[in-house]
Amino acid sequence: MKKRLLLLPLITLLGACSDSEVGDVSLGLFTLKDIKLHSMTDPIVTGVTCHVASVEADLSLSDPSDSSIACRQTGEITPQMIAQIDKSKSGEVVFKQSKSVFFKSMKVRRIYDGEHQTLMYLSYTTKETSGSFKHSLSTVPLWGTQAYSENLVGQK
């Protein structure tokens, strides 16, 4: 019973991301690599859905670092949601996926641009590959949502 109680917060945390695989494209029979497409709903700003594409290698100890992200408003975004998010310059991780047995992971971080009232979603890997860190950016403007405020236009 105690083990089940300890697993409950972990299951809840993983479920909060609402990550699901929505596509799988083979890169060829002899490559053993596929492009996996994942759909992720922001756990706090539930009116935002991100789609992340990344390469997964079935028989490799480490997946390639390349990924791309596209995020869109798919529901309501309220002022209460925006009030709950981390507004620091580094934002907060809203999704994390292991990409290697050697501690490489892909993360999606939400960063709030208050001056432009825009949510930025940054997809990146935590290990350097071929001299660079791979990353991709998508933005969701609050314009047209309940969370947009005319009083904040032009303020930092």
Side-chain angles (χ1 to χ4, degrees):
M1 183 67 174
K2 286 184 181 180
K3 288 182 182 178
R4 287 184 186 168
L5 290 176
L6 291 174
L7 287 176
L8 187 59
L10 179 62
I11 291 167
T12 304
L13 179 63
L14 292 175
C17 292
S18 300
D19 169 45
S20 63
E21 186 177 308
V22 294
D24 186 350
V25 178
S26 173
L27 292 176
L29 181 62
F30 300 108
T31 67
L32 300 175
K33 295 179 182 176
D34 296 331
I35 297 174
K36 302 285 187 174
L37 304 168
H38 291 268
S39 172
M40 177 204 69
T41 301
D42 186 314
I44 295 176
V45 187
T46 56
V48 174
T49 302
C50 295
H51 292 90
V52 179
S54 63
V55 177
E56 294 183 14
D58 292 334
L59 299 176
S60 175
L61 295 176
S62 178
D63 289 335
S65 296
D66 294 323
S67 69
S68 66
I69 188 169
C71 300
R72 300 292 183 266
Q73 179 187 352
T74 55
E76 287 188 51
I77 301 175
T78 66
Q80 294 81 7
M81 292 175 187
I82 301 304
Q84 292 179 42
I85 65 172
D86 180 343
K87 294 185 182 73
S88 68
K89 287 198 178 273
S90 61
E92 62 189 308
V93 174
V94 294
F95 175 74
K96 182 178 177 181
Q97 178 183 21
S98 176
K99 299 297 277 177
S100 166
V101 295
F102 303 110
F103 307 109
K104 178 169 68 172
S105 63
M106 182 200 56
K107 296 179 180 181
V108 174
R109 184 174 289 271
R110 179 195 334 99
I111 301 169
Y112 179 67
D113 175 356
E115 182 178 357
H116 300 102
Q117 298 188 63
T118 299
L119 297 170
M120 299 181 293
Y121 291 85
L122 178 67
S123 171
Y124 63 99
T125 54
T126 56
K127 290 267 184 180
E128 187 175 348
T129 304
S130 301
S132 75
F133 288 90
K134 305 294 184 177
H135 62 280
S136 182
L137 177 70
S138 185
T139 62
V140 178
L142 297 180
W143 173 259
T145 72
Q146 295 175 27
Y148 184 81
S149 174
E150 292 287 339
N151 298 335
L152 297 177
V153 175
Q155 292 183 11
K156 287 189 178 183

PDB file of all heavy atoms in Angstrom, residues 103-133:
ATOM      1  N   PHE A 103      21.993  10.461 -19.808  1.00  0.00           N
ATOM      2  CA  PHE A 103      21.469  11.686 -19.194  1.00  0.00           C
ATOM      3  C   PHE A 103      21.105  12.796 -20.175  1.00  0.00           C
ATOM      4  O   PHE A 103      20.980  13.938 -19.790  1.00  0.00           O
ATOM      5  CB  PHE A 103      22.430  12.234 -18.127  1.00  0.00           C
ATOM      6  CG  PHE A 103      22.812  11.206 -17.113  1.00  0.00           C
ATOM      7  CD1 PHE A 103      24.091  10.672 -17.092  1.00  0.00           C
ATOM      8  CD2 PHE A 103      21.890  10.759 -16.188  1.00  0.00           C
ATOM      9  CE1 PHE A 103      24.452   9.715 -16.159  1.00  0.00           C
ATOM     10  CE2 PHE A 103      22.233   9.803 -15.256  1.00  0.00           C
ATOM     11  CZ  PHE A 103      23.517   9.273 -15.238  1.00  0.00           C
ATOM     12  N   LYS A 104      20.943  12.477 -21.444  1.00  0.00           N
ATOM     13  CA  LYS A 104      20.473  13.493 -22.390  1.00  0.00           C
ATOM     14  C   LYS A 104      18.945  13.482 -22.362  1.00  0.00           C
ATOM     15  O   LYS A 104      18.326  12.429 -22.379  1.00  0.00           O
ATOM     16  CB  LYS A 104      20.965  13.202 -23.803  1.00  0.00           C
ATOM     17  CG  LYS A 104      20.440  14.221 -24.833  1.00  0.00           C
ATOM     18  CD  LYS A 104      21.099  14.120 -26.180  1.00  0.00           C
ATOM     19  CE  LYS A 104      20.775  12.877 -26.918  1.00  0.00           C
ATOM     20  NZ  LYS A 104      21.274  12.866 -28.287  1.00  0.00           N
ATOM     21  N   SER A 105      18.360  14.660 -22.300  1.00  0.00           N
ATOM     22  CA  SER A 105      16.904  14.730 -22.332  1.00  0.00           C
ATOM     23  C   SER A 105      16.460  15.899 -23.205  1.00  0.00           C
ATOM     24  O   SER A 105      17.215  16.830 -23.455  1.00  0.00           O
ATOM     25  CB  SER A 105      16.328  14.866 -20.928  1.00  0.00           C
ATOM     26  OG  SER A 105      16.753  16.065 -20.340  1.00  0.00           O
ATOM     27  N   MET A 106      15.230  15.792 -23.679  1.00  0.00           N
ATOM     28  CA  MET A 106      14.619  16.884 -24.413  1.00  0.00           C
ATOM     29  C   MET A 106      13.617  17.519 -23.456  1.00  0.00           C
ATOM     30  O   MET A 106      12.848  16.828 -22.789  1.00  0.00           O
ATOM     31  CB  MET A 106      13.893  16.398 -25.662  1.00  0.00           C
ATOM     32  CG  MET A 106      13.306  17.563 -26.434  1.00  0.00           C
ATOM     33  SD  MET A 106      11.991  17.166 -27.586  1.00  0.00           S
ATOM     34  CE  MET A 106      10.802  16.346 -26.584  1.00  0.00           C
ATOM     35  N   LYS A 107      13.638  18.836 -23.373  1.00  0.00           N
ATOM     36  CA  LYS A 107      12.733  19.551 -22.487  1.00  0.00           C
ATOM     37  C   LYS A 107      11.971  20.604 -23.277  1.00  0.00           C
ATOM     38  O   LYS A 107      12.473  21.132 -24.273  1.00  0.00           O
ATOM     39  CB  LYS A 107      13.508  20.252 -21.367  1.00  0.00           C
ATOM     40  CG  LYS A 107      14.232  19.296 -20.440  1.00  0.00           C
ATOM     41  CD  LYS A 107      14.992  20.047 -19.372  1.00  0.00           C
ATOM     42  CE  LYS A 107      15.727  19.081 -18.451  1.00  0.00           C
ATOM     43  NZ  LYS A 107      16.445  19.803 -17.390  1.00  0.00           N
ATOM     44  N   VAL A 108      10.768  20.895 -22.801  1.00  0.00           N
ATOM     45  CA  VAL A 108      10.002  22.025 -23.317  1.00  0.00           C
ATOM     46  C   VAL A 108       9.795  22.967 -22.141  1.00  0.00           C
ATOM     47  O   VAL A 108       9.296  22.578 -21.092  1.00  0.00           O
ATOM     48  CB  VAL A 108       8.647  21.582 -23.907  1.00  0.00           C
ATOM     49  CG1 VAL A 108       7.822  22.803 -24.306  1.00  0.00           C
ATOM     50  CG2 VAL A 108       8.854  20.659 -25.099  1.00  0.00           C
ATOM     51  N   ARG A 109      10.240  24.194 -22.326  1.00  0.00           N
ATOM     52  CA  ARG A 109      10.188  25.207 -21.269  1.00  0.00           C
ATOM     53  C   ARG A 109       9.251  26.326 -21.705  1.00  0.00           C
ATOM     54  O   ARG A 109       9.316  26.799 -22.838  1.00  0.00           O
ATOM     55  CB  ARG A 109      11.600  25.742 -21.053  1.00  0.00           C
ATOM     56  CG  ARG A 109      11.749  26.733 -19.928  1.00  0.00           C
ATOM     57  CD  ARG A 109      13.222  27.082 -19.711  1.00  0.00           C
ATOM     58  NE  ARG A 109      13.957  25.978 -19.144  1.00  0.00           N
ATOM     59  CZ  ARG A 109      14.097  25.758 -17.832  1.00  0.00           C
ATOM     60  NH1 ARG A 109      13.551  26.587 -16.975  1.00  0.00           N
ATOM     61  NH2 ARG A 109      14.790  24.741 -17.394  1.00  0.00           N
ATOM     62  N   ARG A 110       8.352  26.749 -20.795  1.00  0.00           N
ATOM     63  CA  ARG A 110       7.458  27.867 -21.060  1.00  0.00           C
ATOM     64  C   ARG A 110       8.067  29.129 -20.459  1.00  0.00           C
ATOM     65  O   ARG A 110       8.431  29.162 -19.292  1.00  0.00           O
ATOM     66  CB  ARG A 110       6.078  27.651 -20.427  1.00  0.00           C
ATOM     67  CG  ARG A 110       5.146  28.819 -20.690  1.00  0.00           C
ATOM     68  CD  ARG A 110       3.891  28.894 -19.828  1.00  0.00           C
ATOM     69  NE  ARG A 110       3.358  27.692 -19.277  1.00  0.00           N
ATOM     70  CZ  ARG A 110       3.572  27.284 -18.011  1.00  0.00           C
ATOM     71  NH1 ARG A 110       4.333  27.971 -17.197  1.00  0.00           N
ATOM     72  NH2 ARG A 110       3.014  26.180 -17.561  1.00  0.00           N
ATOM     73  N   ILE A 111       8.184  30.176 -21.271  1.00  0.00           N
ATOM     74  CA  ILE A 111       8.709  31.462 -20.822  1.00  0.00           C
ATOM     75  C   ILE A 111       7.690  32.530 -21.205  1.00  0.00           C
ATOM     76  O   ILE A 111       7.175  32.541 -22.324  1.00  0.00           O
ATOM     77  CB  ILE A 111      10.086  31.756 -21.469  1.00  0.00           C
ATOM     78  CG1 ILE A 111      11.081  30.660 -21.099  1.00  0.00           C
ATOM     79  CG2 ILE A 111      10.602  33.128 -21.051  1.00  0.00           C
ATOM     80  CD1 ILE A 111      12.371  30.695 -21.866  1.00  0.00           C
ATOM     81  N   TYR A 112       7.409  33.415 -20.272  1.00  0.00           N
ATOM     82  CA  TYR A 112       6.410  34.460 -20.489  1.00  0.00           C
ATOM     83  C   TYR A 112       7.085  35.761 -20.900  1.00  0.00           C
ATOM     84  O   TYR A 112       7.975  36.253 -20.214  1.00  0.00           O
ATOM     85  CB  TYR A 112       5.593  34.671 -19.205  1.00  0.00           C
ATOM     86  CG  TYR A 112       4.546  35.740 -19.325  1.00  0.00           C
ATOM     87  CD1 TYR A 112       3.453  35.580 -20.165  1.00  0.00           C
ATOM     88  CD2 TYR A 112       4.629  36.910 -18.577  1.00  0.00           C
ATOM     89  CE1 TYR A 112       2.476  36.556 -20.267  1.00  0.00           C
ATOM     90  CE2 TYR A 112       3.650  37.895 -18.663  1.00  0.00           C
ATOM     91  CZ  TYR A 112       2.583  37.718 -19.519  1.00  0.00           C
ATOM     92  OH  TYR A 112       1.628  38.676 -19.626  1.00  0.00           O
ATOM     93  N   ASP A 113       6.676  36.318 -22.020  1.00  0.00           N
ATOM     94  CA  ASP A 113       7.131  37.634 -22.478  1.00  0.00           C
ATOM     95  C   ASP A 113       6.035  38.630 -22.113  1.00  0.00           C
ATOM     96  O   ASP A 113       5.046  38.782 -22.841  1.00  0.00           O
ATOM     97  CB  ASP A 113       7.377  37.596 -23.986  1.00  0.00           C
ATOM     98  CG  ASP A 113       7.747  38.954 -24.571  1.00  0.00           C
ATOM     99  OD1 ASP A 113       7.752  39.970 -23.828  1.00  0.00           O
ATOM    100  OD2 ASP A 113       8.023  39.010 -25.783  1.00  0.00           O
ATOM    101  N   GLY A 114       6.180  39.261 -20.950  1.00  0.00           N
ATOM    102  CA  GLY A 114       5.162  40.172 -20.437  1.00  0.00           C
ATOM    103  C   GLY A 114       4.977  41.411 -21.282  1.00  0.00           C
ATOM    104  O   GLY A 114       3.863  41.930 -21.413  1.00  0.00           O
ATOM    105  N   GLU A 115       6.066  41.920 -21.852  1.00  0.00           N
ATOM    106  CA  GLU A 115       5.979  43.144 -22.663  1.00  0.00           C
ATOM    107  C   GLU A 115       5.077  42.942 -23.878  1.00  0.00           C
ATOM    108  O   GLU A 115       4.330  43.824 -24.273  1.00  0.00           O
ATOM    109  CB  GLU A 115       7.377  43.577 -23.121  1.00  0.00           C
ATOM    110  CG  GLU A 115       7.373  44.850 -23.917  1.00  0.00           C
ATOM    111  CD  GLU A 115       8.757  45.307 -24.331  1.00  0.00           C
ATOM    112  OE1 GLU A 115       9.752  44.666 -23.950  1.00  0.00           O
ATOM    113  OE2 GLU A 115       8.841  46.328 -25.038  1.00  0.00           O
ATOM    114  N   HIS A 116       5.157  41.749 -24.473  1.00  0.00           N
ATOM    115  CA  HIS A 116       4.361  41.461 -25.675  1.00  0.00           C
ATOM    116  C   HIS A 116       3.186  40.534 -25.397  1.00  0.00           C
ATOM    117  O   HIS A 116       2.506  40.105 -26.344  1.00  0.00           O
ATOM    118  CB  HIS A 116       5.263  40.869 -26.764  1.00  0.00           C
ATOM    119  CG  HIS A 116       6.358  41.795 -27.149  1.00  0.00           C
ATOM    120  ND1 HIS A 116       7.646  41.638 -26.711  1.00  0.00           N
ATOM    121  CD2 HIS A 116       6.337  42.934 -27.895  1.00  0.00           C
ATOM    122  CE1 HIS A 116       8.395  42.617 -27.180  1.00  0.00           C
ATOM    123  NE2 HIS A 116       7.624  43.429 -27.895  1.00  0.00           N
ATOM    124  N   GLN A 117       2.977  40.187 -24.103  1.00  0.00           N
ATOM    125  CA  GLN A 117       1.895  39.302 -23.690  1.00  0.00           C
ATOM    126  C   GLN A 117       1.851  38.046 -24.570  1.00  0.00           C
ATOM    127  O   GLN A 117       0.847  37.759 -25.230  1.00  0.00           O
ATOM    128  CB  GLN A 117       0.565  40.048 -23.696  1.00  0.00           C
ATOM    129  CG  GLN A 117       0.543  41.210 -22.703  1.00  0.00           C
ATOM    130  CD  GLN A 117      -0.810  41.821 -22.574  1.00  0.00           C
ATOM    131  OE1 GLN A 117      -1.736  41.158 -22.149  1.00  0.00           O
ATOM    132  NE2 GLN A 117      -0.934  43.096 -22.952  1.00  0.00           N
ATOM    133  N   THR A 118       2.955  37.346 -24.553  1.00  0.00           N
ATOM    134  CA  THR A 118       3.125  36.158 -25.379  1.00  0.00           C
ATOM    135  C   THR A 118       3.765  35.043 -24.555  1.00  0.00           C
ATOM    136  O   THR A 118       4.673  35.291 -23.767  1.00  0.00           O
ATOM    137  CB  THR A 118       4.040  36.491 -26.592  1.00  0.00           C
ATOM    138  OG1 THR A 118       3.416  37.517 -27.364  1.00  0.00           O
ATOM    139  CG2 THR A 118       4.273  35.291 -27.465  1.00  0.00           C
ATOM    140  N   LEU A 119       3.279  33.833 -24.765  1.00  0.00           N
ATOM    141  CA  LEU A 119       3.905  32.651 -24.171  1.00  0.00           C
ATOM    142  C   LEU A 119       4.878  32.077 -25.188  1.00  0.00           C
ATOM    143  O   LEU A 119       4.528  31.905 -26.363  1.00  0.00           O
ATOM    144  CB  LEU A 119       2.840  31.600 -23.820  1.00  0.00           C
ATOM    145  CG  LEU A 119       1.811  32.026 -22.782  1.00  0.00           C
ATOM    146  CD1 LEU A 119       0.683  30.992 -22.701  1.00  0.00           C
ATOM    147  CD2 LEU A 119       2.463  32.215 -21.426  1.00  0.00           C
ATOM    148  N   MET A 120       6.102  31.810 -24.756  1.00  0.00           N
ATOM    149  CA  MET A 120       7.106  31.205 -25.629  1.00  0.00           C
ATOM    150  C   MET A 120       7.359  29.788 -25.128  1.00  0.00           C
ATOM    151  O   MET A 120       7.498  29.572 -23.923  1.00  0.00           O
ATOM    152  CB  MET A 120       8.412  32.008 -25.595  1.00  0.00           C
ATOM    153  CG  MET A 120       8.240  33.434 -26.062  1.00  0.00           C
ATOM    154  SD  MET A 120       9.792  34.374 -26.059  1.00  0.00           S
ATOM    155  CE  MET A 120      10.151  34.467 -24.310  1.00  0.00           C
ATOM    156  N   TYR A 121       7.420  28.856 -26.051  1.00  0.00           N
ATOM    157  CA  TYR A 121       7.714  27.461 -25.717  1.00  0.00           C
ATOM    158  C   TYR A 121       9.000  27.080 -26.433  1.00  0.00           C
ATOM    159  O   TYR A 121       9.075  27.102 -27.657  1.00  0.00           O
ATOM    160  CB  TYR A 121       6.552  26.549 -26.134  1.00  0.00           C
ATOM    161  CG  TYR A 121       5.323  26.772 -25.277  1.00  0.00           C
ATOM    162  CD1 TYR A 121       4.407  27.779 -25.578  1.00  0.00           C
ATOM    163  CD2 TYR A 121       5.100  25.993 -24.157  1.00  0.00           C
ATOM    164  CE1 TYR A 121       3.295  27.997 -24.783  1.00  0.00           C
ATOM    165  CE2 TYR A 121       3.984  26.200 -23.353  1.00  0.00           C
ATOM    166  CZ  TYR A 121       3.093  27.201 -23.671  1.00  0.00           C
ATOM    167  OH  TYR A 121       2.003  27.402 -22.870  1.00  0.00           O
ATOM    168  N   LEU A 122      10.015  26.754 -25.633  1.00  0.00           N
ATOM    169  CA  LEU A 122      11.341  26.424 -26.142  1.00  0.00           C
ATOM    170  C   LEU A 122      11.579  24.929 -25.974  1.00  0.00           C
ATOM    171  O   LEU A 122      11.539  24.413 -24.859  1.00  0.00           O
ATOM    172  CB  LEU A 122      12.404  27.209 -25.378  1.00  0.00           C
ATOM    173  CG  LEU A 122      13.863  26.941 -25.746  1.00  0.00           C
ATOM    174  CD1 LEU A 122      14.145  27.429 -27.165  1.00  0.00           C
ATOM    175  CD2 LEU A 122      14.785  27.608 -24.750  1.00  0.00           C
ATOM    176  N   SER A 123      11.830  24.240 -27.076  1.00  0.00           N
ATOM    177  CA  SER A 123      12.178  22.823 -27.056  1.00  0.00           C
ATOM    178  C   SER A 123      13.689  22.731 -27.228  1.00  0.00           C
ATOM    179  O   SER A 123      14.250  23.347 -28.135  1.00  0.00           O
ATOM    180  CB  SER A 123      11.467  22.104 -28.211  1.00  0.00           C
ATOM    181  OG  SER A 123      11.946  20.789 -28.350  1.00  0.00           O
ATOM    182  N   TYR A 124      14.366  21.984 -26.336  1.00  0.00           N
ATOM    183  CA  TYR A 124      15.826  21.893 -26.420  1.00  0.00           C
ATOM    184  C   TYR A 124      16.321  20.590 -25.802  1.00  0.00           C
ATOM    185  O   TYR A 124      15.623  19.940 -25.037  1.00  0.00           O
ATOM    186  CB  TYR A 124      16.480  23.090 -25.726  1.00  0.00           C
ATOM    187  CG  TYR A 124      16.204  23.182 -24.240  1.00  0.00           C
ATOM    188  CD1 TYR A 124      17.126  22.723 -23.302  1.00  0.00           C
ATOM    189  CD2 TYR A 124      15.012  23.717 -23.768  1.00  0.00           C
ATOM    190  CE1 TYR A 124      16.869  22.801 -21.936  1.00  0.00           C
ATOM    191  CE2 TYR A 124      14.752  23.801 -22.416  1.00  0.00           C
ATOM    192  CZ  TYR A 124      15.676  23.349 -21.503  1.00  0.00           C
ATOM    193  OH  TYR A 124      15.416  23.423 -20.164  1.00  0.00           O
ATOM    194  N   THR A 125      17.557  20.230 -26.165  1.00  0.00           N
ATOM    195  CA  THR A 125      18.186  19.062 -25.568  1.00  0.00           C
ATOM    196  C   THR A 125      19.278  19.515 -24.609  1.00  0.00           C
ATOM    197  O   THR A 125      19.844  20.594 -24.756  1.00  0.00           O
ATOM    198  CB  THR A 125      18.796  18.127 -26.630  1.00  0.00           C
ATOM    199  OG1 THR A 125      19.674  18.874 -27.461  1.00  0.00           O
ATOM    200  CG2 THR A 125      17.717  17.480 -27.475  1.00  0.00           C
ATOM    201  N   THR A 126      19.560  18.661 -23.638  1.00  0.00           N
ATOM    202  CA  THR A 126      20.475  19.047 -22.568  1.00  0.00           C
ATOM    203  C   THR A 126      21.923  18.629 -22.816  1.00  0.00           C
ATOM    204  O   THR A 126      22.770  18.879 -21.982  1.00  0.00           O
ATOM    205  CB  THR A 126      20.020  18.430 -21.241  1.00  0.00           C
ATOM    206  OG1 THR A 126      19.932  17.012 -21.392  1.00  0.00           O
ATOM    207  CG2 THR A 126      18.670  18.999 -20.820  1.00  0.00           C
ATOM    208  N   LYS A 127      22.218  18.020 -23.940  1.00  0.00           N
ATOM    209  CA  LYS A 127      23.600  17.651 -24.266  1.00  0.00           C
ATOM    210  C   LYS A 127      24.003  18.286 -25.594  1.00  0.00           C
ATOM    211  O   LYS A 127      23.219  18.349 -26.531  1.00  0.00           O
ATOM    212  CB  LYS A 127      23.747  16.124 -24.393  1.00  0.00           C
ATOM    213  CG  LYS A 127      23.619  15.374 -23.107  1.00  0.00           C
ATOM    214  CD  LYS A 127      24.962  15.186 -22.505  1.00  0.00           C
ATOM    215  CE  LYS A 127      24.820  14.331 -21.250  1.00  0.00           C
ATOM    216  NZ  LYS A 127      26.025  14.077 -20.602  1.00  0.00           N
ATOM    217  N   GLU A 128      25.234  18.727 -25.656  1.00  0.00           N
ATOM    218  CA  GLU A 128      25.767  19.323 -26.877  1.00  0.00           C
ATOM    219  C   GLU A 128      25.944  18.244 -27.940  1.00  0.00           C
ATOM    220  O   GLU A 128      26.413  17.144 -27.654  1.00  0.00           O
ATOM    221  CB  GLU A 128      27.111  19.975 -26.571  1.00  0.00           C
ATOM    222  CG  GLU A 128      27.677  20.769 -27.702  1.00  0.00           C
ATOM    223  CD  GLU A 128      28.947  21.497 -27.296  1.00  0.00           C
ATOM    224  OE1 GLU A 128      29.255  21.558 -26.096  1.00  0.00           O
ATOM    225  OE2 GLU A 128      29.628  21.988 -28.198  1.00  0.00           O
ATOM    226  N   THR A 129      25.571  18.550 -29.185  1.00  0.00           N
ATOM    227  CA  THR A 129      25.697  17.609 -30.292  1.00  0.00           C
ATOM    228  C   THR A 129      26.356  18.318 -31.461  1.00  0.00           C
ATOM    229  O   THR A 129      25.875  19.358 -31.908  1.00  0.00           O
ATOM    230  CB  THR A 129      24.311  17.087 -30.733  1.00  0.00           C
ATOM    231  OG1 THR A 129      23.665  16.517 -29.600  1.00  0.00           O
ATOM    232  CG2 THR A 129      24.444  16.041 -31.810  1.00  0.00           C
ATOM    233  N   SER A 130      27.448  17.802 -31.940  1.00  0.00           N
ATOM    234  CA  SER A 130      28.171  18.379 -33.077  1.00  0.00           C
ATOM    235  C   SER A 130      28.463  19.859 -32.863  1.00  0.00           C
ATOM    236  O   SER A 130      28.313  20.675 -33.764  1.00  0.00           O
ATOM    237  CB  SER A 130      27.384  18.180 -34.374  1.00  0.00           C
ATOM    238  OG  SER A 130      27.174  16.823 -34.622  1.00  0.00           O
ATOM    239  N   GLY A 131      28.828  20.209 -31.650  1.00  0.00           N
ATOM    240  CA  GLY A 131      29.236  21.572 -31.363  1.00  0.00           C
ATOM    241  C   GLY A 131      28.116  22.540 -31.060  1.00  0.00           C
ATOM    242  O   GLY A 131      28.365  23.727 -30.886  1.00  0.00           O
ATOM    243  N   SER A 132      26.855  22.070 -31.034  1.00  0.00           N
ATOM    244  CA  SER A 132      25.782  23.004 -30.711  1.00  0.00           C
ATOM    245  C   SER A 132      24.669  22.299 -29.944  1.00  0.00           C
ATOM    246  O   SER A 132      24.510  21.097 -30.025  1.00  0.00           O
ATOM    247  CB  SER A 132      25.209  23.639 -31.974  1.00  0.00           C
ATOM    248  OG  SER A 132      24.399  22.735 -32.674  1.00  0.00           O
ATOM    249  N   PHE A 133      23.926  23.096 -29.201  1.00  0.00           N
ATOM    250  CA  PHE A 133      22.740  22.600 -28.519  1.00  0.00           C
ATOM    251  C   PHE A 133      21.561  22.792 -29.468  1.00  0.00           C
ATOM    252  O   PHE A 133      21.362  23.878 -29.992  1.00  0.00           O
ATOM    253  CB  PHE A 133      22.509  23.367 -27.214  1.00  0.00           C
ATOM    254  CG  PHE A 133      23.513  23.021 -26.148  1.00  0.00           C
ATOM    255  CD1 PHE A 133      24.694  23.717 -26.033  1.00  0.00           C
ATOM    256  CD2 PHE A 133      23.267  21.969 -25.285  1.00  0.00           C
ATOM    257  CE1 PHE A 133      25.626  23.396 -25.050  1.00  0.00           C
ATOM    258  CE2 PHE A 133      24.189  21.632 -24.296  1.00  0.00           C
ATOM    259  CZ  PHE A 133      25.367  22.346 -24.183  1.00  0.00           C
TER     260      PHE A 133
END
